[in-house]
Amino acid sequence: MTIIMTIKDFENIFSLVCTVIGLLYCLFKYIELPKRGYLYLVIFFLSHFLSDYYWTVYTLIMKDNPEVSEFTAYLGWNIAYVILFLAVFHFRRAEKKYFHPLMLWPLATNIPLFIYYIQFGGIINNLWQVGFTTLTMVFCMRELLYYHAVKAGKIAPSQGGVSKTDVAFPRLPLLVLLFLIVQYGMWTASCFEWSSELLNPYFYCTILYSLIPIFFVRAAGKEYAAQGELAAPKKEGELRLQALIQALASFVILGGCIGGYLIASWMRDGLSSASEIVLALFLISAVLILLVIIMLYGITVRYQNVKKKQRELDSGKVSRLNFFFTVFVTLVLMTFALVYNTKLLYDASVTSVHEDGKDKVKSFATDLENYLTVAQTTLRVAADSVDLMVKNEASLDEIYQYLLDQTTMQFEQFDENFTGIYAFVDGKYMDGSGWIPPEDYEPMTRDWYGAAVDAAGEVVIVSPYVDAQTGYVVITIAKCISADEELSPSAPQNIVCLDVIVNHVKEVTQGIDIAGKGYGLVVNEDGFIVAHRDDSFNGENITDYYGSAILEKILETQNGNFNYVMDDEKSTLFVCPIMDQWYALIVVNDSELFEDMYSQLAVNIAISLITFSLI
């Protein structure tokens, strides 16, 4: 399959890759030196990952933006703004009382922008994002202005014994300020229409917005270096353990990303609904974040224990290696078991759903076939009686009276949908319903006549038609009773017919479904819709709505099921023949048909991932 990469896809993938790089870089630094500043940045990248991952994978797989609530869409990014403020606040150097009017310039620019943004909706989301970013920018400006004041000798450094020449440049506040300025560039550019993506500032702002955070980690390291906070020298065993933890972190994050993409692709090919794919991706990103948080907690506890129990380091090293090895093996085995069991469950569920559908459509077809059998029997009895009367040389008036009597009896005592028995005998047309044809009426040109003659004495169901007077779909059951086999093909044949309104067929069709899902319809072999849940389809040809391919599929399948796109949605059609002339169909949207199965699979995957996380 050819994958066409759009600029939007490139932006999303580039942002996700930068987020993963920043996350791994920060994790590695935290593993070397578990300080709170690194922890804030790890959580910042994790929050970004929460939104970037499911959004990027979904758009790449489905070629559309996920339909989620505003809260869900911006949850990760909104948390990241809060954490970024805490990181800047953590590395602050300025004195508590320090103030400079220039630090308030973000208020002058961001408040008008906020007023402009809210015309597009999302007031609460804009309040949250503009509020925290503005506060963060004010603190960043405060740090930069304070550094300038110290360098200029206007104020003394807040740290005792530190000269102005030793004050480190506030790299992190500067990078965060640039990051947020670029963010506002993205937001503002998205409010306008651009003639070309390459002319759209949003594209270039996105690149900078994704790249700048990677340097947050290095800036934080410079801050700690300026404070004399450096990683202590480690023994060879410690370095091995550190490398193992870093490798495990990389495996979990990168493996989870790739695995999530494969699962989403598999769910799309399995005709999952869009909401189920979004939920699965969101759960995967949440579980990956949970694993990283557990890892962070383990690292923090570990380093606290190292400080307290230096003497037990060598013995503890072995147990920790065993622990991470066990975790790795457990992850591999559980992943294999999850994939294998999910595949078995999916195959079994699909087979079960298809079998239920086949049984339902077979029952549907049997019900209609039984009804048509009664109509055929009624016609056969009447045809045999007329044939006997012809052989006994009964008069046409006697035959006509018999047709009148039989029509009345069938309508009153058997089925009100049996609207009339009529015959063409010895070149004379007689209608038991009392209808008198116009003078130009030619029975030998009618469809029922030709079908009966072609059937050569067998009962035949003539192609349905829409009655011009009543608007009902009517079927004609006909039988040729000509006794003289030596008659030429052009000579008039004796025919007896029964007209049946398909009201009962329509009632059965409208009540058919599969566990409350889907709908039924009946078509004949040329595509004429005999009955449909929607009355406006009755009497129409199915190929006019869904293309000629659907009739070819029905005739090819005969008895079973096949997949087809109905009303722009992937659907499964269950087919069963009726009297070898009609076909009973049940149409079910795949997202409905497999809804319960996909929910079970999603729960199974989620429980397995959570179980591993807890272990």
Side-chain angles (χ1 to χ4, degrees):
M1 182 178 66
T2 303
I3 298 177
I4 300 176
M5 181 72 70
T6 64
I7 291 180
K8 184 65 67 177
D9 290 334
F10 174 77
E11 290 175 359
N12 290 332
I13 294 173
F14 186 80
S15 297
L16 178 60
V17 170
C18 288
T19 299
V20 172
I21 291 173
L23 175 59
L24 290 175
Y25 185 18
C26 198
L27 267 175
F28 291 174
K29 298 297 290 185
Y30 184 79
I31 292 170
E32 294 175 6
L33 184 66
K35 305 295 290 185
R36 182 177 297 181
Y38 288 137
L39 181 61
Y40 282 138
L41 293 179
V42 169
I43 298 175
F44 166 79
F45 284 112
L46 285 175
S47 301
H48 255 276
F49 181 82
L50 180 63
S51 291
D52 286 347
Y53 179 71
Y54 85 86
W55 190 278
T56 298
V57 175
Y58 184 90
T59 54
L60 192 62
I61 293 292
M62 304 298 290
K63 299 302 180 184
D64 193 12
N65 292 333
E67 296 182 2
V68 294
S69 65
E70 182 180 292
F71 173 81
T72 303
Y74 294 96
L75 175 63
W77 296 316
N78 286 342
I79 294 174
Y81 293 125
V82 179
I83 301 302
L84 192 60
F85 167 74
L86 294 177
V88 172
F89 187 79
H90 173 73
F91 286 109
R92 71 191 184 284
R93 296 199 198 97
E95 296 176 350
K96 293 181 179 179
K97 297 180 180 180
Y98 177 75
F99 177 81
H100 192 287
L102 192 57
M103 62 188 269
L104 298 180
W105 73 259
L107 295 173
T109 58
N110 295 358
I111 291 176
L113 286 174
F114 167 75
I115 296 173
Y116 180 73
Y117 294 155
I118 60 175
Q119 67 178 311
F120 300 99
I123 296 179
I124 296 177
N125 187 63
N126 277 297
L127 273 173
W128 180 279
Q129 294 185 351
V130 174
F132 274 102
T133 54
T134 301
L135 182 63
T136 305
M137 292 171 73
V138 168
F139 268 81
C140 291
M141 281 301 302
R142 185 171 182 266
E143 291 298 313
L144 293 169
L145 291 169
Y146 177 78
Y147 171 79
H148 179 266
V150 171
K151 282 295 186 181
K154 296 179 181 180
I155 58 176
S158 58
Q159 295 92 344
V162 177
S163 66
K164 65 180 183 180
T165 57
D166 295 330
V167 175
F169 181 77
R171 294 177 177 82
L172 183 62
L174 177 61
L175 287 173
V176 171
L177 182 63
L178 292 175
F179 171 73
L180 294 178
I181 291 174
V182 170
Q183 173 75 85
Y184 274 92
M186 290 173 55
W187 289 342
T188 306
S190 66
C191 297
F192 299 92
E193 296 290 338
W194 303 89
S195 59
S196 169
E197 286 292 339
L198 294 178
L199 297 177
N200 189 350
Y202 184 89
F203 173 74
Y204 304 101
C205 289
T206 301
I207 301 300
L208 293 174
Y209 173 82
S210 304
L211 282 174
I212 292 174
I214 297 177
F215 298 96
F216 288 175
V217 185
R218 182 174 177 81
K222 292 292 185 181
E223 295 281 353
Y224 282 123
Q227 299 172 16
E229 296 282 355
L230 299 173
K234 296 180 175 62
K235 299 178 181 180
E236 183 179 352
E238 276 289 299
L239 292 174
R240 281 204 214 97
L241 180 58
Q242 179 178 300
L244 176 62
I245 298 174
Q246 292 173 343
L248 181 61
S250 302
F251 174 80
V252 170
I253 295 172
L254 297 178
C257 290
I258 296 172
Y261 175 84
L262 296 177
I263 290 174
S265 300
W266 170 67
M267 292 183 69
R268 178 201 60 188
D269 296 337
L271 306 177
S272 293
S273 66
S275 59
E276 291 170 344
I277 295 176
V278 172
L279 176 62
L281 290 172
F282 195 83
L283 286 174
I284 290 170
S285 59
V287 170
L288 287 176
I289 290 172
L290 177 62
L291 289 174
V292 173
I293 290 175
I294 293 173
M295 191 178 299
L296 291 175
Y297 175 78
I299 294 170
T300 303
V301 172
R302 174 183 176 278
Y303 274 91
Q304 288 175 349
N305 292 336
V306 166
K307 290 180 179 180
K308 295 179 181 179
K309 302 179 180 180
Q310 289 291 335
R311 296 179 182 178
E312 300 176 5
L313 180 61
D314 292 336
S315 60
K317 176 181 63 179
V318 176
S319 62
R320 291 188 186 94
L321 283 170
N322 291 336
F323 167 75
F324 284 109
F325 177 78
T326 303
V327 169
F328 175 78
V329 173
T330 303
L331 175 62
V332 172
L333 293 177
M334 288 194 66
T335 301
F336 174 80
L338 176 62
V339 172
Y340 181 77
N341 290 333
T342 301
K343 184 66 169 60
L344 289 180
L345 178 61
Y346 175 82
D347 292 341
S349 300
V350 169
T351 301
S352 176
V353 169
H354 285 167
E355 290 301 321
D356 290 343
K358 291 175 183 178
D359 290 341
K360 191 71 175 182
V361 77
K362 184 177 181 181
S363 174
F364 176 30
T366 301
D367 191 355
L368 297 181
E369 195 162 271
N370 290 340
Y371 179 76
L372 293 177
T373 299
V374 173
Q376 286 184 328
T377 302
T378 301
L379 182 277
R380 185 177 285 107
V381 171
D384 290 344
S385 298
V386 172
D387 188 31
L388 184 61
M389 294 176 72
V390 171
K391 291 178 180 178
N392 292 333
E393 299 182 349
S395 66
L396 294 178
D397 290 338
E398 291 175 330
I399 295 175
Y400 178 63
Q401 186 61 45
Y402 171 79
L403 296 175
L404 289 173
D405 295 339
Q406 286 298 309
T407 297
T408 302
M409 183 184 69
Q410 296 297 334
F411 181 85
E412 294 178 351
Q413 299 183 13
F414 290 90
D415 195 321
E416 62 184 5
N417 294 313
F418 293 0
T419 59
I421 301 175
Y422 52 94
F424 184 68
V425 178
D426 295 337
K428 176 73 173 179
Y429 176 85
M430 296 169 285
D431 198 312
S433 64
W435 179 68
I436 299 176
E439 293 181 0
D440 59 348
Y441 185 79
E442 292 291 340
M444 295 178 65
T445 64
R446 313 305 292 183
D447 290 342
W448 53 264
Y449 181 91
V453 172
D454 292 340
E458 297 295 328
V459 176
V460 63
I461 300 177
V462 185
S463 296
Y465 66 95
V466 179
D467 185 82
Q469 296 180 344
T470 64
Y472 292 129
V473 175
V474 178
I475 59 172
T476 299
I477 302 174
K479 185 177 187 297
C480 180
I481 60 171
S482 293
D484 190 356
E485 297 179 356
E486 297 181 358
L487 287 174
S488 65
S490 61
Q493 305 286 315
N494 294 337
I495 310 293
V496 179
C497 301
L498 169 66
D499 277 354
V500 181
I501 299 175
V502 297
N503 285 343
H504 177 76
V505 177
K506 184 173 67 174
E507 290 172 2
V508 174
T509 302
Q510 289 178 337
I512 201 70
D513 56 47
I514 299 177
K517 302 169 185 175
Y519 60 91
L521 67 152
V522 178
V523 299
N524 72 348
E525 56 190 2
D526 59 10
F528 183 96
I529 300 177
V530 179
H532 193 285
R533 181 182 62 181
D534 186 350
D535 288 340
S536 63
F537 284 79
N538 293 338
E540 302 293 334
N541 197 291
I542 194 171
T543 59
D544 294 337
Y545 292 91
Y546 306 112
S548 59
I550 189 171
L551 184 59
E552 295 173 2
K553 282 279 191 179
I554 293 172
L555 298 177
E556 177 185 342
T557 304
Q558 291 286 323
N559 194 344
N561 63 279
F562 64 91
N563 296 323
Y564 198 80
V565 177
M566 303 280 283
D567 298 324
D568 297 328
E569 293 183 333
K570 294 179 180 179
S571 304
T572 298
L573 281 70
F574 299 92
V575 187
C576 189
I578 304 173
M579 297 287 191
D580 295 325
Q581 290 186 259
W582 290 2
Y583 294 92
L585 286 88
I586 300 179
V587 181
V588 191
N589 182 286
D590 284 340
S591 61
E592 289 184 314
L593 184 64
F594 301 109
E595 181 180 10
D596 294 337
M597 180 185 69
Y598 290 144
S599 298
Q600 293 173 5
L601 290 176
V603 170
N604 183 43
I605 293 171
I607 290 176
S608 299
L609 293 174
I610 292 172
T611 301
F612 172 76
S613 301
L614 293 175
I615 291 175

